[in-house]
Amino acid sequence: MEEPSLEVKMPEADLKAVKFSLMTSSDMEKLSSASIIEMCDVTNAKLGLPNGAPQCATCGSQSVRDCDGHFGVIKLAATVHNPCFIEEVVQLLNQICPGCLTLKQNGDTKKDGAKLYPSVIFKMLTSPRVTLSRSKLHRNTSVMDKISIIAEVAGGVTHNSKNKAPHETLPQDFWDFVPDDNQPPQSNVAKKILSPYQVFHMLKNLDPELINQVTPRRELLFLSCLPVTPNCHRVAEMQYGHSDGPRLAFDDRTKAYKRMVDVSKRIDDCRQHPQFSVFASSVVTSRVMECLKSSKAT
Amino acid sequence: HNLNYFSYAETLVHSTLDHCDNVDFTLQVFFNMKNHTVYVRQRPHLKMFLEKVAQMFDLVIFTASQRIYAEQLIDRLDPDGRLISHRIYRESCIFSEGCYTKDLTILGVDLAKVVIVDNTPQVFQLQVDNGIPIKSWFDDPSDQELVELLPFLETLVGVEDVRPIISKTFHHTLEQN
């Protein structure tokens, strides 16, 4: 008598397409195998081989050939606008009326009684990091250029009168649409460098539907997490003829991740300070750019 | 006609509220509801320097100091008003992340003709190539920075664009790995 067949069929599927896209912060969290909280977590055994342990703490593999590595995630001390999309942010801000937070009309027709303010133009500003040494300015190209957004008064402002401040005619409340970050009030300036805190809050105050009309996938404009790539992307194991075993070498990206984690912990200690949000936004933005730059460099 | 901007705190003079002898002059300034005495020392060779620069350029003082105090000080440096053609104060600076930035476009002139001399490089961030750095000065009577700067400024008189000359002379790119 023939025994019934014990073969079990595995599920099958045909691969029809591959699509690339960008990760949102929630994608990063879902994908990660470990939260990076301490500086030493950046090369944690959960992120795969090589590490100081004999096997991967996530999948148990004991060989680099068998483990593709696993991602970690750093929770940022402040949610910031994504520096990769600063041009998109500028584009978006230029299509919004800053006073009433609606899309600008194509024509310049004003409602009756509406204040005739000069319009505002937002621009991206890239300035090199410079230090002064022996009467020479040094541009340090290993540090990413500082990227800011400038808000500037547009329109025909005459410069004829040398003795009169060029923009004395600005209304006292002209800059009220810029979120307050407790800097000295300057109502008469024609140009403002927006802090990361101010940019974030201007975006946050916009209607999500409005953003989606101008920029697809609004959630990509913000970052509250940063992915940490597997150890095999950043850590090299060097075989020496020493009896004390292999040595690990870390690349610049690993060091940038460690600085990111370190600064996040330091910032958390200041969470009770009234200016925490402003300070955290600036520091986090600066460190995120450093991590992104070191990723680009490799 | 080319323009030349100067900061003055620690660039042209040093001033303090702390009493000290051996100052060039004092100012009485009223702020925060009371009178203060400001003690001012001039950087060595300042008078000669201003005279020479005013012959070569339109000379503008651009300072992040408060107007109420800076105005009096500049009046002492140029009592007849014949050297310094324009003054710009703190309210015309852009405040960004803890420091005042000087935007050279506010007078609406061709930036190819504008030079700014300052001891604080952060103020240059909007127009880096227009910036000539100078060491801060506090009290060294043997300081020669202003004298040594004059020959370079003379090379800028009448040139089409000052920026590549400044960049080549004073700007150095650090390549680090």
Side-chain angles (χ1 to χ4, degrees):
Chain A
M1 179 176 177
E2 189 181 13
E3 292 185 0
S5 171
L6 294 178
E7 180 182 351
V8 179
K9 287 194 172 182
M10 299 297 291
E12 290 184 359
D14 290 334
L15 182 66
K16 292 187 183 302
V18 173
K19 179 184 176 185
F20 290 96
S21 188
L22 296 161
M23 299 173 75
T24 62
S25 292
S26 53
D27 293 334
M28 296 170 196
E29 296 200 62
K30 286 176 194 167
L31 182 72
S32 78
S33 300
S35 281
I36 309 302
I37 297 171
E38 305 290 338
M39 288 175 70
C40 58
D41 291 340
V42 170
T43 52
N44 192 290
K46 290 182 178 179
L47 304 185
L49 298 167
N51 59 62
Q55 66 183 40
C56 171
T58 298
C59 65
S61 170
Q62 296 178 26
S63 163
V64 179
R65 289 189 307 272
D66 299 329
C67 175
D68 290 335
H70 312 277
F71 283 80
V73 68
I74 298 172
K75 186 81 177 174
L76 301 177
T79 300
V80 296
H81 66 279
N82 192 328
C84 291
F85 299 126
I86 201 132
E87 286 182 18
E88 283 75 9
V89 169
V90 169
Q91 203 173 76
L92 173 60
L93 292 175
N94 276 324
Q95 299 196 43
I96 304 295
C97 170
C100 59
L101 301 186
T102 57
L103 279 175
K104 282 178 178 173
Q105 312 282 342
N106 282 336
D108 263 349
T109 53
K110 301 282 182 193
K111 293 180 181 176
D112 291 336
K115 290 182 179 176
L116 292 178
Y117 283 10
S119 55
V120 182
I121 291 183
F122 297 90
K123 295 177 181 173
M124 184 173 75
L125 164 71
T126 302
S127 45
R129 305 279 187 174
V130 293
T131 54
L132 180 60
S133 170
R134 293 192 303 276
S135 293
K136 289 262 184 191
L137 280 182
H138 298 274
R139 302 185 205 211
N140 194 329
T141 59
S142 70
V143 181
M144 179 170 266
D145 290 343
K146 181 177 174 175
I147 304 181
S148 307
I149 295 179
I150 291 184
E152 191 173 331
V153 176
V157 183
T158 65
H159 303 285
N160 292 333
S161 174
K162 256 183 133 187
N163 291 318
K164 189 180 180 185
H167 306 289
E168 276 176 8
T169 55
L170 284 185
Q172 197 69 26
D173 57 351
F174 178 79
W175 290 113
D176 282 2
F177 69 89
V178 177
D180 180 19
D181 62 358
N182 280 281
Q183 306 295 11
Q186 292 183 297
S187 59
N188 263 349
V189 293
K191 189 179 288 190
K192 273 185 180 284
I193 300 176
L194 302 180
S195 68
Y197 171 86
Q198 289 170 323
V199 174
F200 172 77
H201 278 274
M202 289 179 72
L203 293 176
K204 197 178 162 213
N205 287 337
L206 296 180
D207 182 352
E209 282 305 311
L210 184 62
I211 297 183
N212 283 330
Q213 293 179 53
V214 180
T215 304
R217 304 198 65 192
R218 164 184 175 272
E219 62 275 13
L220 291 176
L221 295 182
F222 302 100
L223 271 183
S224 57
C225 304
L226 198 68
V228 174
T229 55
N231 284 332
C232 57
H233 298 180
R234 302 177 281 107
V235 181
E237 183 174 22
M238 295 176 295
Q239 298 289 351
Y240 283 154
H242 302 296
S243 57
D244 60 0
R247 299 285 174 80
L248 301 178
F250 308 123
D251 69 358
D252 286 340
R253 206 179 352 173
T254 300
K255 294 166 190 167
Y257 284 143
K258 291 191 177 188
R259 286 192 286 270
M260 175 86 250
V261 173
D262 182 47
V263 87
S264 288
K265 287 174 64 70
R266 291 172 190 270
I267 289 175
D268 273 342
D269 292 341
C270 307
R271 204 165 272 274
Q272 300 310 312
H273 193 280
Q275 295 309 310
F276 172 80
S277 293
V278 177
F279 172 66
S281 290
S282 291
V283 177
V284 167
T285 298
S286 181
R287 290 300 183 197
V288 165
M289 287 199 282
E290 185 192 2
C291 291
L292 295 174
K293 168 157 184 171
S294 59
S295 294
K296 199 184 296 182
T298 55
Chain B
H1 216 256
N2 289 12
L3 277 173
N4 208 320
Y5 287 79
F6 286 85
S7 172
Y8 71 72
E10 282 83 55
T11 295
L12 302 179
V13 301
H14 176 62
S15 55
T16 176
L17 292 178
D18 303 320
H19 174 85
C20 55
D21 303 323
N22 193 30
V23 296
D24 292 301
F25 55 87
T26 61
L27 304 170
Q28 294 301 313
V29 179
F30 184 79
F31 59 91
N32 289 344
M33 304 299 290
K34 47 182 173 171
N35 265 312
H36 298 270
T37 303
V38 179
Y39 300 83
V40 181
R41 266 192 293 257
Q42 298 177 119
R43 190 166 202 158
H45 314 292
L46 176 61
K47 190 66 174 178
M48 177 273 293
F49 180 78
L50 292 178
E51 300 259 359
K52 285 284 176 75
V53 172
Q55 289 170 27
M56 297 187 281
F57 302 98
D58 276 337
L59 177 53
V60 179
I61 298 294
F62 199 159
T63 178
S65 299
Q66 308 264 24
R67 178 192 287 260
I68 188 173
Y69 140 75
E71 204 150 41
Q72 287 191 59
L73 197 151
I74 298 172
D75 284 340
R76 290 293 296 265
L77 297 180
D78 185 17
D80 303 328
R82 60 185 177 85
L83 300 175
I84 297 166
S85 65
H86 205 77
R87 308 168 180 197
I88 312 172
Y89 304 109
R90 175 174 293 187
E91 64 264 21
S92 298
C93 296
I94 298 176
F95 192 80
S96 170
E97 295 194 283
C99 77
Y100 288 98
T101 298
K102 296 174 182 176
D103 177 23
L104 302 180
T105 66
I106 65 173
L107 278 191
V109 300
D110 182 5
L111 286 185
K113 313 291 189 187
V114 177
V115 177
I116 180 168
V117 179
D118 206 297
N119 65 314
T120 309
Q122 284 73 33
V123 312
F124 297 153
Q125 61 176 305
L126 292 177
Q127 292 99 17
V128 175
D129 287 332
N130 297 81
I132 295 178
I134 192 169
K135 279 186 261 180
S136 299
W137 178 81
F138 301 94
D139 56 13
D140 177 12
S142 66
D143 180 85
Q144 297 291 314
E145 290 286 316
L146 294 181
V147 173
E148 289 168 8
L149 185 56
L150 278 177
F152 177 76
L153 292 178
E154 284 166 7
T155 68
L156 299 180
V157 175
V159 305
E160 196 70 26
D161 191 340
V162 298
R163 290 169 293 191
I165 301 173
I166 293 171
S167 184
K168 186 176 62 177
T169 306
F170 291 100
H171 295 191
H172 176 66
T173 302
L174 291 175
E175 296 288 349
Q176 290 179 1
N177 287 320

